[in-house]
Amino acid sequence: MKKLLILFLLLPLTAAGQLKISLGADSPLRKLQIAHMAVENLYVDSVDANELAENAIRGMLEKLDPHSSFTTAKETRELNEPLQGNFDGIGVQFNVIEDTLIVLQTVHGGPSEKVGIVAGDRIIAVNDTAIAGVKMSRADIMKRLRGKKGSKVNVLVKRAGERKPLAFTIRRDKIPVHSMDAAYMIEPGIGYIRLGNFGATTHKEMLQAADSLRRLGMTDLVLDLQDNGGGYLSAAEDVANEFLEKGDLIVYATGRSVPRHESKADGRGRLKTGKIVVLVNEFTASAAEIVSGAIQDQDRGIIVGRRTFGKGLVQRPVELPDGSMIRLTVSHYYTPTGRCIQKPYKAGGRKDYDLDFEQRLKHGELTCRDSIHFADSLRFETLRNHRTVYGGGGIMPDIFVPLDTLQYTRYHRSLVAKGIVVQEAIKYYDKNRRQLRKFKTLDDFKQRYVLPESLFEAIAEEGKKQKVEPKDDDEKQRTRPYLTEQLRALIARDLYGESAYFEIINMTNPIFTAGVAEIKRNI
């Protein structure tokens, strides 16, 4: 019952600041308490009281809106970890191929690098428990490798060229989690930064990247927020602040029981000059939409891509005694012009809400701008240049880029869905690691590296084993160009890091090319 009783904290306050709690005969809370006690004491089979309370909470929240939610203590930790900036572990990037963990990279200066583990090592046992050849899940492997900072873990490693396995004792430490996916110079004067989410270290990471790019001559910036699902509001405010003038409104939020809260730029931003283009798509959401909306409404930059997701509901976390958490929607986000970011929804209509992408595709919104219709009541004007922008959910870009439905063949989508492309690329890299290292720089790799036919044959053969085959030779040939660039990008990532992946794969992205074309106008 503790989880139900803690919900009393959400009840309105009296003038004296006391909770208005009524457990009279007609009280809804009394009804809930009686129901819980009846099931716990009278139900035909034994029940878990804690599970009953959790299901009751979930049932309440599911009938409210699509983003109010409940998570167990374990789920809460897992959800928060990517945003907190670090976790405790051994510091390796790995993948599991054929039931064996292969180290792709070690974190520079991290615990594994310090004891001598290198890329290509295969970790076959952890604390005397075999993890190779036993069909152990990735989650279970991570559980064994992670642990509290300062604790020790023993691993057994199989290394190419060594006859016997090598034993290492690793002292776990804080491992950084980065929210910036890539940063590089597109061409002289134009920099590129891609943010994967908005976490505790996002602002710091972005500024470090921007400073590095400016030393390389950056004057204008392409900020990539495609597929960025959001994160911390404070991180979004800090990022937007870098581009805006003192006093510029970034975002405001208001709700039935929450007073209006405004966030304004403090004028100390370090990216207030130069052209800005922001790249977005239908998976850009929440905090990423706040940044996009602020830059658009303040006429600071141009938004390029497709209408964003439309997640503008503010959740307040309510921590429960066992570490589980309720995230309760308490207000709406609004852009500086007063546009509500949240797209329409029906209370309890989570299924229809989750199918929004399919509905956009069905109605042609993702492929044709003319298929997107806005009521006159949703028309707004930007604050400086008085350009027309629209509300009604999400951020509608200034320059629309249609989804290219022909870029990916059915054959390619099936290969990717089965994990065949990534797995075969990793196998190839692992076998040819030494030869690939002869390409000392990414520029050298891009100019001289040619994918071997054997890699395409391996992908086709593995696809055939898993019943994934092209319909005909035409589909096979149409798959080849994008698959080639995807494989080159995956191999480059393992050689040079995450930025290298995007530096190659971006050239196949129509939103990216449209954004670069826009920022080059009038330079």
Side-chain angles (χ1 to χ4, degrees):
M1 286 298 293
K2 285 184 178 179
K3 287 186 179 178
L4 295 180
L5 293 174
I6 202 72
L7 294 179
F8 292 167
L9 296 174
L10 302 177
L11 293 173
L13 301 176
T14 65
Q18 297 176 325
L19 289 169
K20 295 180 181 177
I21 299 177
S22 172
L23 291 178
D26 297 329
S27 166
L29 289 172
R30 180 60 175 162
K31 190 187 300 184
L32 184 61
Q33 184 183 43
I34 292 171
H36 185 278
M37 293 174 64
V39 173
E40 185 177 4
N41 291 286
L42 301 176
Y43 185 63
V44 61
D45 296 317
S46 60
V47 294
D48 185 317
N50 189 59
E51 189 175 334
L52 274 181
E54 291 179 352
N55 288 338
I57 295 170
R58 285 193 179 95
M60 281 189 282
L61 299 178
E62 285 172 359
K63 298 299 181 182
L64 298 178
D65 66 83
H67 296 292
S68 290
S69 63
F70 168 81
T71 52
T72 64
K74 180 182 177 183
E75 291 168 340
T76 300
R77 288 193 300 271
E78 291 173 351
L79 285 170
N80 286 337
E81 188 175 90
L83 300 177
Q84 289 174 340
N86 60 68
F87 63 89
D88 296 346
I90 67 169
V92 295
Q93 179 186 344
F94 71 90
N95 213 318
V96 178
I97 302 176
E98 297 174 348
D99 299 333
T100 301
L101 182 155
I102 297 178
V103 176
L104 300 178
Q105 292 178 352
T106 56
V107 173
H108 181 62
S112 291
E113 185 185 70
K114 288 178 179 178
V115 300
I117 289 177
V118 298
D121 282 352
R122 287 159 166 77
I123 298 179
I124 58 176
V126 179
N127 288 335
D128 298 325
T129 299
I131 65 170
V134 293
K135 296 189 180 299
M136 185 176 291
S137 71
R138 188 183 182 95
D140 285 340
I141 291 173
M142 290 174 66
K143 183 179 179 181
R144 283 169 168 75
L145 291 175
R146 291 185 180 182
K148 290 184 178 180
K149 176 182 177 180
S151 63
K152 294 180 180 180
V153 58
N154 298 312
V155 300
L156 201 61
V157 168
K158 182 79 171 69
R159 179 175 294 172
E162 298 288 344
R163 294 179 57 189
K164 295 182 179 180
L166 306 174
F168 294 93
T169 298
I170 307 171
R171 186 182 295 275
R172 297 181 178 100
D173 204 346
K174 289 289 181 186
I175 308 301
V177 177
H178 300 294
S179 57
M180 188 182 71
D181 292 334
Y184 64 91
M185 292 296 294
I186 298 171
E187 59 181 68
I190 304 176
Y192 171 89
I193 294 176
R194 179 184 174 97
L195 301 179
N197 60 47
F198 284 87
T201 61
T202 301
H203 181 231
K204 179 181 178 181
E205 289 177 47
M206 190 193 78
L207 284 183
Q208 289 174 342
D211 287 344
S212 296
L213 294 177
R214 284 193 295 190
R215 286 194 290 271
L216 294 173
M218 180 186 77
T219 55
D220 304 305
L221 174 66
V222 174
L223 178 64
D224 192 348
L225 300 182
Q226 294 177 90
D227 304 320
N228 184 315
Y232 293 147
L233 168 62
S234 58
E237 292 171 336
D238 288 342
V239 168
N241 181 70
E242 293 301 324
F243 300 102
L244 302 177
E245 299 293 338
K246 185 174 183 179
D248 284 352
L249 183 61
I250 296 172
V251 66
Y252 70 90
T254 185
R256 178 178 64 89
S257 300
V258 178
R260 174 168 167 145
H261 166 75
E262 292 185 351
S263 174
K264 294 184 178 181
D266 61 16
R268 293 182 292 179
R270 287 149 63 175
L271 296 167
K272 294 188 294 181
T273 60
K275 296 179 69 175
I276 303 295
V277 164
V278 182
L279 310 183
V280 300
N281 64 7
E282 55 277 6
F283 302 113
T284 302
S286 191
E289 293 175 291
I290 289 172
V291 173
S292 304
I295 289 175
Q296 186 180 51
D297 283 7
Q298 298 289 357
D299 288 301
R300 176 63 184 90
I302 297 297
I303 312 299
V304 177
R306 293 184 288 277
R307 183 164 70 92
T308 61
F309 183 85
K311 197 277 186 183
L313 297 176
V314 186
Q315 281 74 51
R316 174 177 293 174
V318 180
E319 297 182 14
L320 301 180
D322 63 350
S324 58
M325 181 178 288
I326 293 170
R327 287 179 170 83
L328 187 70
T329 296
V330 295
S331 56
H332 287 86
Y333 287 129
Y334 294 86
T335 70
T337 58
R339 292 181 289 163
C340 181
I341 292 174
Q342 179 61 41
K343 62 187 176 184
Y345 64 89
K346 292 181 180 178
R350 181 61 187 263
K351 184 177 180 181
D352 290 339
Y353 188 84
D354 290 340
L355 292 175
D356 181 64
F357 174 80
E358 285 79 3
Q359 290 300 317
R360 291 192 196 189
L361 186 61
K362 180 180 178 181
H363 296 150
E365 180 182 324
L366 299 179
T367 55
C368 180
R369 187 182 186 115
D370 292 341
S371 298
I372 306 171
H373 304 288
F374 295 101
D376 287 341
S377 60
L378 299 175
R379 181 180 296 171
F380 295 79
E381 286 189 351
T382 58
L383 300 177
R384 286 178 170 80
N385 298 337
H386 307 292
R387 296 180 297 117
T388 298
V389 290
Y390 289 93
I395 303 299
M396 184 65 191
D398 303 297
I399 297 175
F400 176 79
V401 180
L403 178 68
D404 185 357
T405 57
L406 299 178
Q407 184 176 26
Y408 311 102
T409 64
R410 176 206 57 82
Y411 179 48
H412 179 263
R413 288 196 298 271
S414 299
L415 289 172
V416 171
K418 293 278 188 178
I420 295 170
V421 174
V422 172
Q423 293 290 332
E424 291 302 321
I426 292 171
K427 285 183 188 178
Y428 168 78
Y429 174 75
D430 187 48
K431 291 178 182 177
N432 299 278
R433 191 185 304 267
R434 188 168 297 174
Q435 299 94 307
L436 289 168
R437 299 275 167 140
K438 70 181 182 182
F439 300 102
K440 299 299 182 183
T441 66
L442 177 59
D443 284 339
D444 184 31
F445 176 88
K446 288 194 295 184
Q447 291 172 15
R448 295 198 299 119
Y449 176 69
V450 179
L451 284 167
E453 194 62 31
S454 59
L455 179 53
F456 293 101
E457 291 171 356
I459 290 172
E461 185 62 30
E462 184 60 30
K464 190 175 182 180
K465 287 180 185 178
Q466 299 191 39
K467 303 188 183 323
V468 176
E469 298 184 71
K471 182 175 62 176
D472 49 35
D473 284 340
D474 178 61
E475 184 179 40
K476 183 177 180 180
Q477 291 304 314
R478 286 189 292 110
T479 299
R480 183 79 174 234
Y482 185 79
L483 178 59
T484 297
E485 292 309 301
Q486 184 181 24
L487 290 168
R488 282 167 53 83
L490 288 168
I491 294 167
R493 178 180 65 186
D494 290 335
L495 279 169
Y496 311 106
E498 198 74 16
S499 285
Y501 172 85
F502 286 100
E503 192 165 344
I504 291 177
I505 205 67
N506 276 344
M507 301 310 296
T508 69
N509 184 341
I511 292 179
F512 173 83
T513 54
V516 173
E518 172 59 26
I519 207 167
K520 289 170 70 174
R521 291 194 333 141
N522 302 321
I523 289 181

